[in-house]
């Protein structure tokens, strides 16, 4: 199929026209084709058809037009909530073909293939885009931008034709754009240049005078400097010496389209363009490539000078460059340097010359060589950003590494496409080993010539990167040489910092972390980092955060690092800063106190908990990398700090893997403190993963080891873990007895959040056991301790949620809802704590009889839990609550949700939550008229409740059984006595209601 929009909208298939009836259908099809590859919103189609005055039925009409088009195009008209799109191969649309051919021409290394591609591109045009259809919106938003694409290409095409000497074709080629856009000067200048070089100066001058009259009449201005300069040279009939000094262009230039376009735009705007980047990044190749593309715009020649900024010798001073440039322009150089400079600028002032100043070392080296007028274009390349040239209006074009696709294209160009396509995984690995650096890829390509495959060379790279990334017999064709010249050019203090940055194990660094390596204050370090960034040895990839390219980091580590370069201060920085963050982020988590065996304090300071937590997340990959490289005491000290973050999203399984390694090392060297800290950490992490049995084992060992080394607080913390893990296994009575002893031990100390947590955990186990009155007393004491200690909101959120659950179990719905409201106010904007509190609140509103409010809160709980389905995510409680309270879901969906929750609990130690969910499932089945299934689940819940001593759930299961099975009315009497004994007023009422039936 051939869909044409570069003219009247037409469709052909198999050479025969396909009718598209009506202007509105054509307009819709034209828009879909013009935006091929994206979805066009309905609102945009309405604008195209009616602009500011759509009918009320506009959306319906658009849908009708699309439906009519589908009769012809079928599934090739695709739709989603985003809008409609044309799902046909790109080359089926003339606009897409035009853009592809235009890009092919721009990517060509010589004018001949560029012209051939552009001629095919221009053949796609048959008139005005979307001719004769649409509103003014179509003209402004679609037609005019497409015409500008055409006019830009016509100018590039004309430039290439002039470069090829095909001058006679240019005036005809540009006639249309000169007529359509008479105020656009570039087409007039190109037509004048072509006529002049074709020996027709009178016709060229006529164009100038026509434009002069037009500008005077329409705008009251004279032609711009380009046209005036061209006019003067034609009048004088003077053809000066035209230097053509550009080095050979790259045979097939790969990538850099955005950078090349920015460079062309800067030059056409009369700006000095600085192409900056690291060694081997391809700065000179880009500069020369673009210079060839623009050569025809500068008929007085192209000059090129290698300023030797990073060569073997000293950079070439400006006073040695100027005489060479004057000679190239055919002008004898006078005696003094000042006179030479004056003559150089005067000569360039009357000419249009493109000047490439390659490999500059500094702004001071370049500044004297800049022409005095904007009629000449200047490209400067440097490893330094040359920010000082901004005073002369210079702007930068920064080059980074190639993308993986561009790296593959470059390798294919160097070694042929066959070996790349034969083993694409090897090609990708090779590009990665080369760091996607053009110089490294070019050297690899040279070394691969004549080899059968890539794998053997990759093995050599793994064995010795630097020797392999070199061309034998060419001392300059090595990546190490390129980096060495950048390193040698650094000031001494910057060299020290650069080589020590090779010791950084993480992915990036800040001035604070780098200052530990520099041995300087952060302010001095920032200045050094700015210099390294300006030299493109490091990159500021985010504000205040820097990184090294992989090969640069490898070079720093293997070629620059000296014996006194020690990462110890960096490791100390991460250890002490992590501990400082832990104290602010989770003050209730205590870590084993430091001793003289640990490095001296070197922590970063933070304004508060929010700033500390932000540092923790920003530095995650870095401190994990430090941990990966650490060993012995430093290793377990670092891992221990992570215990403060596992309750706030840091993955417990990551901590388990790190703690296992640290424990093994501590056991090997007999470090009992390290063993205790890692056992404690593993106990916490295993409990978070809902693995109470290993948590019990690690807690017992941690308590013993803490006792042996004399840290009583650690002993109590390990025992706290032990009693909670015991409860998770269903041993509620054992856990309650241990809690009594544990609280007495904590009460022997000054009141701390540890006592508050022990009381809260005790209250939770009492709640599970159905002893709600006792639970209420302990939880009120816990909250009192927290209030006296002015605990941060996070702990208060959970404390009030637990209090609300206890009050709800006692039937005091009003008090429970007040507690939940306080919990919600402290819970923050998301996460498991918010999901848990919302789920509890939903149940409270359900018991109060407000089904709508209950359902709304339950849905909010599910959203707050997010996509995390792991242990302690809150999703299980939120999902169970939603099924229990939202009757609008329908019985089958409610049953499905509760079965999903039970499946999540299967095989895990959640006896209380599992049993409660099963009781709720039995109740929902009863509400859905399925008593037999309800009875089966109620029996299972009853068995578990009796086995684990969960008396409230035992009574609830008995009540559901009595409702499901009329012959079991005695179960309701047993439930009534249970609930009356323990003060469960609402449950007591539910059992009485069954007896009153």
């Amino acid at each position: 199929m051939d869909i044409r929009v570069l003219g009247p909208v037409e469709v052909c298939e198999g050479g025969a026209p396909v009718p598209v009836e009506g202007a509105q259908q054509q307009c819709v099809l034209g828009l879909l084709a013009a935006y091929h590859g994206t979805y066009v919103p309905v609102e945009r189609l309405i604008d195209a058809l009616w602009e500011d005055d759509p009918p009320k039925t506009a959306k319906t009409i658009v849908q009708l037009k699309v439906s009519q088009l589908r009769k012809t195009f079928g599934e090739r008209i695709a739709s989603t909530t985003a809008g409609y799109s044309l799902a046909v191969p790109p080359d089926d649309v003339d606009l897409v073909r035009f853009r592809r051919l235009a890009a092919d021409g721009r990517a060509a290394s010589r004018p001949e293939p560029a012209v051939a591609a552009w001629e095919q591109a221009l053949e796609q045009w048959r008139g005005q885009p979307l001719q004769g259809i649409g509103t003014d919106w179509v003209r402004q938003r679609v037609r005019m931008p497409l015409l500008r694409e055409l006019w830009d290409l016509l100018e590039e095409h004309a430039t290439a034709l002039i470069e090829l000497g095909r001058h006679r074709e240019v005036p005809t080629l540009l006639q249309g754009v000169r007529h359509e856009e008479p105020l656009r000067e570039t087409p007039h200048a190109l037509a004048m240049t072509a006529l002049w070089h074709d020996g027709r100066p009178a016709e060229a001058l006529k164009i100038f005078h026509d434009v002069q009259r037009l500008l005077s009449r329409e705008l009251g201005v004279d032609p711009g400097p380009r046209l005036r300069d061209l006019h003067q040279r034609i009048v004088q009939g003077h053809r000066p010496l035209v230097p053509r000094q550009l080095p050979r262009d790259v045979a097939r230039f790969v990538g850099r389209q955005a950078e090349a376009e920015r460079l062309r735009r800067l030059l056409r705007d009369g700006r000095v363009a600085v192409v900056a980047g690291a060694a081997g990044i391809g700065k000179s190749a880009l500069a020369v490539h673009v210079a060839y593309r623009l050569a025809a715009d500068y008929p007085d020649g192209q000059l090129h000078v290698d300023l030797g900024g990073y060569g073997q010798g000293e950079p070439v001073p400006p006073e040695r460059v100027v005489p060479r440039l004057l000679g190239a322009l055919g002008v004898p150089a006078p005696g003094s340097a000042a006179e030479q400079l004056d003559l150089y600028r005067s000569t360039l002032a009357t000419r249009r010359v493109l000047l490439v100043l390659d490999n500059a070392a500094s702004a001071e080296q370049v500044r004297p060589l800049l022409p005095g007028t904007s009629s000449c274009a200047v490209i400067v390349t440097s490893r330094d950003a040359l920010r000082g040239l901004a005073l002369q209006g210079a702007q930068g074009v920064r080059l980074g590494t190639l993308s993986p696709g561009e790296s593959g294209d470059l390798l294919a160009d160097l070694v042929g496409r066959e070996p790349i396509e034969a083993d694409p995984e090897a090609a990708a690995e090779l590009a990665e080993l080369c760091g996607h650096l053009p110089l490294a890829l070019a050297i690899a390509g040279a070394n691969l010539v004549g080899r059968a495959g890539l794998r053997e060379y990759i093995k050599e790279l793994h064995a010795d990167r630097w020797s392999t990334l070199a061309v034998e017999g060419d001392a300059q064709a090595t990546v190490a040489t390129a980096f060495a010249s950048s390193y040698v050019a650094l000031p001494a203090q910057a060299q020290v910092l650069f080589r020590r940055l090779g010791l950084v194990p993480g992915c990036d660094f800040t001035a604070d972390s780098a200052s530990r390596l520099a041995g300087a204050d952060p302010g001095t370090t920032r200045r050094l980092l700015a210099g390294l960034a300006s030299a493109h040895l490091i990159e500021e990839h985010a504000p205040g955060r820097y990184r090294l390219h992989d090969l640069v980091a490898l070079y720093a580590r293997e070629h620059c690092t000296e014996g006194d370069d020690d990462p110890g201060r960096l490791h100390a920085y991460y250890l002490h800063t992590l501990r400082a963050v832990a104290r602010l982020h989770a003050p209730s988590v205590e870590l084993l106190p430091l001793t003289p065996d640990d490095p001296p304090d070197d922590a970063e300071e933070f304004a508060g908990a929010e700033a500390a937590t932000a540092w923790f997340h920003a530095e995650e990959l870095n401190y994990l990398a430090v941990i990966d490289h650490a060993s012995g005491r430093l290793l377990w000290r670092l891992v221990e700090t992570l215990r403060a973050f596992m309750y706030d999203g840091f993955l417990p399984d990551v901590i388990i893997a790190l703690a296992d390694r640290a424990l093994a090392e501590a056991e090997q060297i007999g470090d009992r403190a390290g063993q205790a800290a890692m056992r404690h950490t593993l106990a916490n992490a295993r409990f978070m993963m809902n693995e109470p049995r290993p948590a019990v084992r690690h807690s017992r060992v941690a308590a013993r080891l803490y006792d042996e080394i004399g840290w009583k607080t650690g002993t109590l913390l390990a025992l706290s873990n032990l009693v909670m893990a015991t409860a998770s296994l269903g041993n509620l009575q054992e856990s309650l007895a241990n809690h009594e002893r544990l609280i007495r031990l904590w009460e022997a100390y000054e009141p701390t959040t540890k006592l508050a947590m022990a009381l809260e955990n005790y209250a939770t186990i009492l709640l599970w056991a159905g002893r709600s009155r006792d639970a209420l007393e302990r939880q009120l004491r816990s909250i009192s301790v927290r209030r006296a200690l002015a605990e941060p909101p996070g702990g208060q959120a959970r404390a009030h949620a637990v209090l609300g659950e206890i009050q709800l179990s006692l039937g005091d719905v009003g008090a429970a809802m007040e507690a939940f409201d306080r919990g919600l106010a402290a819970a923050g904007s998301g996460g498991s704590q918010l999901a848990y509190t919302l789920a509890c609140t939903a149940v409270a509103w359900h018991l109060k009889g407000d089904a709508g409010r209950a359902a709304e809160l339950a849905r909010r709980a599910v959203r707050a839990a997010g996509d995390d389905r792991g242990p302690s995510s809150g999703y299980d409680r939120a999902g169970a609550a939603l099924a229990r309270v939202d009757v609008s879901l329908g019985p089958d969906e409610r049953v499905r949700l509760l079965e999903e929750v039970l499946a999540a609990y299967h095989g895990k130690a959640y006896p209380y939550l599992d049993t409660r969910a099963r009781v709720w499932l039995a109740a929902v089945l009863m509400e859905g008229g399925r008593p037999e299934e309800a009875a089966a689940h109620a029996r299972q819940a009853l068995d578990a409740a009796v086995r684990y001593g969960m008396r409230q759930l035992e009574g609830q299961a008995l009540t559901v059984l009595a409702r499901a099975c009329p012959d079991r009315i005695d179960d309701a009497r047993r439930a009534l006595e249970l609930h009356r004994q323990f003060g469960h007023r609402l449950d007591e009422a539910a059992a009485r209601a069954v007896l009153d039936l």
Side-chain angles (χ1 to χ4, degrees), residues 908-930:
K908 299 187 173 101
Y910 282 108
Y912 176 77
L913 295 175
D914 180 279
T915 306
R916 186 175 69 171
R918 198 169 294 282
V919 170
W920 286 359
L921 175 57
V924 168
L925 286 165
M926 276 301 300
E927 292 170 17
R930 296 157 66 177

XYZ file of all heavy atoms in Angstrom, residues 908-930:
185
model
N 3.287 -20.135 55.280
C 4.001 -19.088 55.992
C 3.437 -18.981 57.398
O 2.331 -19.420 57.690
C 3.867 -17.750 55.256
C 4.434 -17.769 53.844
C 4.427 -16.372 53.256
C 5.168 -16.376 51.915
N 4.291 -16.403 50.797
N 4.217 -18.330 58.266
C 3.832 -18.251 59.678
C 3.009 -16.995 59.929
O 3.493 -16.005 60.457
C 5.084 -18.252 60.560
N 1.761 -17.042 59.530
C 0.810 -15.975 59.806
C -0.429 -16.591 60.458
O -1.533 -16.481 59.926
C 0.397 -15.257 58.516
C 1.400 -14.282 57.978
C 2.130 -14.564 56.835
C 1.596 -13.052 58.608
C 3.043 -13.661 56.330
C 2.501 -12.138 58.101
C 3.232 -12.444 56.970
O 4.127 -11.546 56.479
N -0.315 -17.268 61.606
C -1.475 -18.017 62.129
C -2.664 -17.113 62.436
O -3.803 -17.469 62.131
C -0.938 -18.690 63.396
C 0.300 -17.927 63.743
C 0.873 -17.437 62.457
N -2.424 -15.939 63.036
C -3.543 -15.087 63.399
C -4.215 -14.514 62.148
O -5.445 -14.605 61.989
C -3.065 -13.940 64.295
C -4.172 -12.956 64.638
C -5.132 -13.271 65.591
C -4.262 -11.733 63.979
C -6.163 -12.380 65.895
C -5.277 -10.837 64.270
C -6.221 -11.165 65.223
O -7.234 -10.291 65.506
N -3.415 -13.929 61.239
C -3.997 -13.312 60.039
C -4.634 -14.365 59.131
O -5.689 -14.131 58.528
C -2.918 -12.537 59.280
C -2.317 -11.330 60.018
C -1.178 -10.716 59.221
C -3.393 -10.295 60.300
N -4.006 -15.528 59.041
C -4.557 -16.602 58.218
C -5.924 -17.042 58.766
O -6.895 -17.181 58.013
C -3.575 -17.778 58.195
C -4.083 -18.944 57.363
O -4.918 -19.726 57.896
O -3.667 -19.067 56.210
N -5.984 -17.236 60.074
C -7.242 -17.696 60.679
C -8.324 -16.627 60.555
O -9.486 -16.935 60.272
C -7.011 -18.062 62.152
O -5.937 -19.013 62.239
C -8.258 -18.649 62.774
N -7.954 -15.364 60.759
C -8.944 -14.300 60.640
C -9.476 -14.207 59.215
O -10.689 -14.047 58.998
C -8.348 -12.957 61.043
C -9.405 -11.851 61.068
C -8.857 -10.541 61.578
N -7.914 -9.940 60.646
C -7.420 -8.708 60.776
N -7.759 -7.968 61.825
N -6.567 -8.225 59.907
N -8.588 -14.341 58.216
C -9.040 -14.297 56.829
C -9.970 -15.459 56.519
O -10.946 -15.321 55.758
C -7.833 -14.317 55.886
N -9.708 -16.611 57.126
C -10.575 -17.773 56.884
C -11.946 -17.569 57.538
O -12.971 -17.967 56.985
C -9.911 -19.050 57.377
C -10.514 -20.316 56.797
C -9.662 -21.532 57.092
N -8.370 -21.509 56.431
C -8.164 -21.807 55.142
N -9.203 -22.157 54.386
N -6.961 -21.768 54.628
N -11.969 -16.942 58.708
C -13.259 -16.616 59.339
C -14.043 -15.662 58.447
O -15.256 -15.816 58.239
C -13.033 -15.998 60.737
C -14.341 -15.425 61.292
C -12.487 -17.044 61.700
N -13.340 -14.644 57.899
C -14.019 -13.685 57.027
C -14.525 -14.367 55.760
O -15.601 -14.056 55.262
C -13.068 -12.546 56.660
C -12.829 -11.583 57.790
C -13.372 -11.622 59.041
C -11.983 -10.426 57.751
N -12.938 -10.574 59.797
C -12.079 -9.813 59.045
C -11.168 -9.849 56.805
C -11.371 -8.654 59.368
C -10.472 -8.693 57.117
C -10.572 -8.099 58.383
N -13.730 -15.313 55.223
C -14.156 -16.031 54.029
C -15.437 -16.826 54.332
O -16.378 -16.836 53.517
C -13.049 -16.962 53.546
C -13.388 -17.884 52.369
C -13.854 -17.081 51.152
C -12.195 -18.767 52.003
N -15.472 -17.463 55.490
C -16.678 -18.214 55.866
C -17.873 -17.270 55.967
O -18.991 -17.594 55.510
C -16.445 -18.923 57.194
N -17.666 -16.080 56.547
C -18.769 -15.117 56.677
C -19.245 -14.641 55.311
O -20.459 -14.510 55.054
C -18.314 -13.927 57.524
N -18.303 -14.361 54.380
C -18.670 -13.901 53.028
C -19.412 -15.007 52.283
O -20.385 -14.741 51.561
C -17.409 -13.454 52.268
C -17.707 -13.244 50.789
C -16.849 -12.174 52.882
N -18.991 -16.250 52.458
C -19.690 -17.367 51.816
C -21.113 -17.488 52.345
O -22.050 -17.775 51.579
C -18.921 -18.665 52.049
C -17.625 -18.814 51.235
C -16.759 -19.928 51.797
C -17.953 -19.104 49.758
N -21.287 -17.258 53.617
C -22.645 -17.281 54.182
C -23.497 -16.171 53.573
O -24.656 -16.381 53.202
C -22.593 -17.107 55.700
C -22.339 -18.388 56.469
S -23.602 -19.657 56.171
C -25.070 -18.807 56.752
N -22.910 -14.962 53.447
C -23.659 -13.856 52.858
C -24.001 -14.140 51.400
O -24.999 -13.641 50.872
C -22.834 -12.562 52.959
C -22.669 -12.059 54.390
C -21.644 -10.927 54.483
O -21.324 -10.332 53.443
O -21.163 -10.636 55.596
N -23.202 -14.957 50.755
C -23.456 -15.312 49.362
C -24.344 -16.534 49.200
O -24.485 -17.041 48.076
N -24.880 -17.036 50.289
C -25.796 -18.180 50.210
C -25.103 -19.493 49.956
O -25.678 -20.390 49.325
N -23.878 -19.681 50.487
C -23.122 -20.925 50.269
C -22.735 -21.506 51.639
O -21.569 -21.543 52.020
C -21.885 -20.628 49.417
C -22.269 -20.156 48.025
C -21.167 -19.345 47.337
N -19.982 -20.118 47.036
C -18.920 -19.614 46.374
N -18.961 -18.345 45.957
N -17.875 -20.355 46.144
